[in-house]
């Protein structure tokens, strides 16, 4: 057998192997022989119940139908998958149906779907995916897409419908990037953005908005970016402003600048930057032709506080007057943190060693239920109260005392 093989006389090698019971050698030898010898060897191995080897030889010898028949009878799933991959649209429809039914009856839905795609039965493939929750891979999606008709032709509606079905399935399976791609190919920009927003892929959302250049997409991208930590990431803030500007969404841009001003006040106590943001907000509110009465009032109060801060060392009487006017303003906290106004006065009195006035301001803060910690330095408060001959109670102690008083009243 070895000598015949080395001489390339595989027909003789196979005949000799069969005659002497070297069954394990037959497959490798027959695969190198003629189709006739392959089929003869396949029959021999089938009789020996060596079904997997027989299927391989029947398939290679051109008798796919016989190979399939053995696969069905012996339930050779792996071999059947291999054969199914070689089936094409020219295959007998009855045979394709039989293979598909076999896969389905044994819950091999993914393989049945791949068979339908290979044989260009795209609607059946999608029906089975949707019905049996088959995972839509990128390879499967691209194979389907490649077989769809051109969008300009008569099959344009079918193409769009199939792409939408692929995308919808991908969304249900949380494959948002592939869904975005298919919605885009279907011309459904809004749905593509829906899918991309669900992915949370900020870089791709920014890129997608820049490519599509749609007013609606710009606005939706900017809205999404506002849900991120934009106030600590300058590039995201720039993109929000850029997208709203390109979309001419002036009211949204005004509201964003308003939000910027609030962040500057709440987190950084930078009233100068907050004032600049409020003025930008007013500019775009005017472009949007929206009323800005409340905004004007807030700008006026922030301007007053910024000006008061600038007068602390230059004209302290005017500075104090402006601060007290602010504290007497109704709804001043819509524009300025009341605690910041008190803190500015207290720090001034402390620096001038006017401890009694500083003490009175702290007590007024407490009367307004303003927590001292975020605004006043503990050491400064201790010093002020010590000069007044009073023990300073921290916020926690004051809260405990209030609770005790409430209990006594009860």
């Amino acid at each position: 057998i070895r000598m015949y093989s080395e001489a390339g006389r595989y027909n003789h090698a196979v005949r000799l192997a069969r005659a002497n019971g070297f069954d394990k050698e037959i497959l490798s030898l027959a695969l190198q022989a003629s189709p006739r010898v392959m089929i003869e060897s396949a029959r021999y191995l089938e009789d020996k119940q060596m079904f997997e080897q027989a299927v391989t030889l029947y398939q290679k010898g051109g008798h796919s139908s016989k190979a399939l028949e053995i696969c069905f009878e012996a339930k050779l799933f792996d071999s059947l998958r291999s054969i199914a991959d070689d089936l094409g649209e020219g295959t007998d429809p009855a045979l394709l149906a039989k293979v598909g039914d076999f896969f389905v009856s044994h819950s091999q839905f993914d393989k049945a779907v791949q068979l339908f795609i290979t044989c260009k039965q795209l609607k059946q493939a999608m029906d089975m995916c949707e019905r049996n929750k088959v995972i839509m891979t990128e390879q499967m999606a691209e194979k389907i897409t490649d077989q769809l008709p051109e969008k300009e032709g008569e099959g344009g509606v079918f193409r769009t419908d199939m792409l939408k079905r692929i995308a919808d399935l991908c969304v249900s399976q949380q494959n948002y990037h592939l869904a975005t791609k298919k919605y885009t190919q279907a011309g459904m920009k809004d749905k593509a953005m829906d899918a991309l927003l669900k992915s949370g892929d900020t870089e791709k959302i920014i890129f997608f908005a820049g490519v599509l250049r749609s007013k609606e997409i710009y606005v939706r991208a900017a809205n999404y970016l506002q849900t991120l930590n934009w106030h600590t990431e300058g590039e995201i803030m720039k993109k929000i402003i850029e997208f709203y500007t390109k979309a001419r969404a002036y009211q949204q841009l005004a509201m964003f600048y308003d939000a910027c001003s609030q962040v500057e006040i709440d987190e950084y106590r930078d009233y100068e930057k907050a004032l600049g943001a409020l003025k930008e907000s007013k500019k775009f509110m005017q472009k949007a032709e929206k009323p800005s009465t409340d905004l004007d009032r807030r700008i006026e109060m922030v301007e007053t506080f910024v000006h008061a801060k600038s007068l602390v060392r230059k004209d302290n009487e005017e500075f104090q007057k402006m601060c007290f006017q602010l504290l007497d303003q109704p709804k001043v906290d819509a524009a300025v943190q009341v605690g910041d106004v008190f803190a500015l006065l207290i720090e001034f009195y402390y620096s001038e060693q006017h401890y009694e006035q500083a003490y009175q301001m702290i007590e007024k803060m407490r009367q307004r239920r303003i927590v001292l910690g975020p605004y006043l330095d503990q050491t400064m408060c201790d010093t002020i109260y010590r000069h007044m001959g009073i023990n300073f109670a921290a916020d926690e102690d004051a809260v405990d005392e209030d609770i005790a008083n409430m209990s006594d009243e009860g």
Side-chain angles (χ1 to χ4, degrees):
I1 294 172
R2 181 170 59 81
M3 297 298 289
Y4 275 132
S5 297
E6 290 179 358
R9 305 300 295 271
Y10 297 107
N11 292 1
H12 294 299
V14 170
R15 177 178 52 79
L16 195 57
R18 284 162 51 189
N20 290 276
F22 289 96
D23 296 345
K24 293 182 180 179
E25 307 293 330
I26 291 175
L27 178 61
S28 61
L29 293 169
L31 285 172
Q32 301 178 75
S34 64
R36 179 183 59 80
V37 174
M38 287 185 193
I39 300 304
E40 289 175 356
S41 299
R43 292 194 186 104
Y44 172 82
L45 293 172
E46 183 184 358
D47 291 339
K48 293 279 188 173
Q49 296 191 336
M50 298 173 68
F51 296 122
E52 289 186 16
Q53 293 90 328
V55 166
T56 300
L57 289 175
Y58 275 128
Q59 184 185 3
K60 293 294 183 182
H63 285 208
S64 295
S65 57
K66 181 61 177 177
L68 288 170
E69 183 182 320
I70 296 173
C71 287
F72 295 145
E73 292 175 358
K75 294 183 172 57
L76 302 178
F77 293 115
D78 292 337
S79 297
L80 187 57
R81 284 174 183 159
S82 176
I83 297 171
D85 288 339
D86 292 336
L87 298 177
E89 59 179 322
T91 306
D92 179 12
L95 180 59
L96 288 174
K98 187 175 181 181
V99 176
D101 289 343
F102 181 82
F103 281 134
V104 171
S105 66
H106 291 87
S107 301
Q108 302 285 314
F109 302 117
D110 60 329
K111 202 61 194 176
V113 168
Q114 290 175 17
L115 176 66
F116 286 135
I117 294 172
T118 299
C119 300
K120 296 190 176 182
Q121 297 184 27
L122 305 182
K123 187 176 182 303
Q124 292 90 325
M126 284 306 305
D127 288 344
M128 185 158 290
C129 278
E130 293 163 348
R131 189 167 54 247
N132 298 288
K133 298 181 180 179
V134 176
I135 298 298
M136 176 61 67
T137 66
E138 185 166 4
Q139 183 182 26
M140 289 164 58
E142 294 310 322
K143 279 186 177 180
I144 294 173
T145 304
D146 290 343
Q147 297 179 44
L148 293 176
E150 296 295 326
K151 57 184 175 182
E152 290 82 7
E154 295 180 0
V157 174
F158 176 71
R159 176 187 176 84
T160 300
D161 179 64
M162 289 296 292
L163 288 170
K164 181 180 180 299
R165 288 178 68 181
I166 295 172
D168 288 346
L169 185 62
C170 289
V171 168
S172 70
Q173 295 172 357
Q174 299 184 350
N175 189 347
Y176 299 120
H177 288 144
L178 186 54
T180 298
K181 183 177 182 180
K182 295 304 157 186
Y183 279 134
T184 303
Q185 290 174 340
M188 300 177 174
K189 295 178 181 179
D190 285 340
K191 281 189 167 292
M193 180 54 91
D194 283 339
L196 199 52
L197 290 174
K198 288 177 181 177
S199 76
D201 190 329
T202 301
E203 186 176 339
K204 287 191 177 179
I205 290 169
I206 291 172
F207 175 79
F208 189 75
V211 169
L212 291 186
R213 300 180 181 179
S214 157
K215 177 180 178 180
E216 292 76 13
I217 299 300
Y218 278 139
V219 170
R220 296 186 67 191
N223 290 346
Y224 162 78
L225 293 176
Q226 280 203 74
T227 66
L228 305 180
N229 197 19
W230 53 265
H231 44 88
T232 60
E233 297 185 37
E235 287 304 311
I236 291 180
M237 182 184 289
K238 288 178 183 177
K239 283 296 176 184
I240 294 171
I241 294 170
E242 176 189 331
F243 288 163
Y244 280 141
T245 302
K246 286 182 175 179
R248 297 188 177 183
Y250 298 128
Q251 186 172 2
Q252 289 96 323
L253 190 53
M255 292 169 66
F256 176 65
Y257 274 115
D258 195 333
C260 290
S261 74
Q262 203 60 49
V263 168
E264 293 298 339
I265 291 173
D266 293 345
E267 297 194 18
Y268 305 109
R269 294 204 163 78
D270 192 330
Y271 284 87
E272 288 78 8
K273 281 188 178 180
L275 181 59
L278 284 173
K279 287 180 177 179
E280 286 293 305
S281 179
K282 179 182 177 180
K283 180 175 76 175
F284 288 106
M285 197 65 85
Q286 289 173 334
K287 278 194 173 186
E289 298 181 351
K290 298 293 180 181
S292 60
T293 306
D294 290 341
L295 193 56
D296 289 336
R297 185 171 177 274
R298 288 168 58 206
I299 289 172
E300 182 183 347
M301 286 190 283
V302 174
E303 277 184 329
T304 299
F305 187 55
V306 169
H307 186 47
K309 287 174 69 177
S310 70
L311 295 177
V312 174
R313 299 301 171 198
K314 297 177 183 177
D315 187 345
N316 59 59
E317 288 187 7
E318 182 64 20
F319 144 71
Q320 292 176 71
K321 178 182 174 183
M322 295 175 76
C323 286
F324 285 123
Q325 285 175 345
L326 277 174
L327 292 176
D328 290 336
Q329 286 269 10
K331 298 182 179 179
V332 64
D333 53 353
V336 177
Q337 291 276 13
V338 178
D340 286 330
V341 182
F342 274 113
L344 191 63
L345 284 166
I346 292 166
E347 287 166 1
F348 168 72
Y349 292 139
Y350 175 76
S351 67
E352 297 292 316
Q353 298 185 354
H354 297 161
Y355 298 118
E356 184 174 354
Q357 289 170 287
Y359 163 74
Q360 290 172 356
M361 287 295 102
I362 293 175
E363 289 302 303
K364 285 184 178 180
M365 284 184 76
R366 282 182 158 163
Q367 289 169 12
R368 293 202 185 192
R369 300 293 181 185
I370 299 172
V371 178
L372 305 182
Y375 303 100
L376 302 177
D377 177 71
Q378 175 81 28
T379 303
M380 179 183 70
C381 292
D382 287 337
T383 303
I384 292 169
Y385 274 68
R386 188 170 61 252
H387 278 85
M388 297 301 297
I390 303 171
N391 290 326
F392 176 69
D395 290 327
E396 292 83 358
D397 298 332
V399 170
D400 291 341
E401 185 178 338
D402 285 344
I403 293 173
N405 291 337
M406 289 171 64
S407 299
D408 292 341
E409 289 172 7

